[in-house]
Amino acid sequence: MVHNKLNIFSMIMGLGLAVVGTSAGAAASADSLQQVVERGRDLFMTATFEGGGRHCDTCHKGGGTAMSELPNGKKFASLSNAAAIFPRYDEENHRVKTLQDQVQHCVRDALKGKPPAYDSAEMTELVTYLTSLSQGKRVDMGGKPQ
């Protein structure tokens, strides 16, 4: 059973790396990883994605590292382990949801903006930043946000 989970995990991670490792990832390879993390953090903190003026940090306080609260008062966990709990199974839509899917969902639905394409430099930078927040966290696909 554990062996099968590891094989499935390896396959899914390979697919995720294939998405991130496309042309945008190749373009970013000339930069240091830390520079890409910093550009992703800057996008997280300031980019509105042509939406209504909000950015990721509007809801995900402290650059995604703090507990947060929506305008309606609903509290939710930080993103400190987001990359460690994706991919996840979306019960409502009966499909596997990747971190890239979640980024697109947040930009489209919460920010009312134009989501970055899966193979774009923006997506690579955002996912790299979010992954940096999970550095050292235990991989727990489908686990709970912390």
Side-chain angles (χ1 to χ4, degrees):
M1 180 76 167
V2 171
H3 182 70
N4 287 340
K5 283 184 178 180
L6 288 175
N7 285 339
I8 292 169
F9 175 73
S10 297
M11 180 181 70
I12 290 171
M13 289 306 294
L15 291 173
L17 291 174
V19 170
V20 173
T22 60
S23 60
S29 67
D31 296 324
S32 76
L33 183 58
Q34 187 57 39
Q35 289 172 323
V36 176
V37 168
E38 289 169 12
R39 284 197 305 271
R41 185 177 194 287
D42 185 55
L43 285 170
F44 189 92
M45 300 298 285
T46 64
T48 61
F49 302 96
E50 302 175 27
R54 296 172 16 155
H55 42 79
C56 302
D57 193 62
T58 301
C59 295
H60 299 285
K61 300 297 183 193
T65 63
M67 291 293 290
S68 297
E69 186 174 322
L70 294 174
N72 66 7
K74 180 181 177 187
K75 296 181 190 288
F76 58 94
S78 75
L79 298 175
S80 67
N81 70 332
I85 62 173
F86 277 89
R88 314 174 59 73
Y89 188 73
D90 180 353
E91 294 285 342
E92 186 177 321
N93 296 304
H94 308 289
R95 67 180 190 90
V96 172
K97 189 176 196 179
T98 66
L99 186 55
Q100 291 88 340
D101 292 329
Q102 185 63 38
V103 167
Q104 285 199 333
H105 165 76
C106 285
V107 170
R108 181 182 54 252
D109 296 341
L111 303 183
K112 305 297 185 209
K114 180 182 175 193
Y118 282 91
D119 64 346
S120 69
E122 285 180 322
M123 181 65 82
T124 299
E125 292 162 359
L126 282 167
V127 168
T128 301
Y129 171 65
L130 293 170
T131 300
S132 77
L133 299 179
S134 296
Q135 182 73 20
K137 301 286 183 177
R138 184 172 132 315
V139 173
D140 185 18
M141 290 189 333
K144 300 275 185 211
Q146 295 178 353

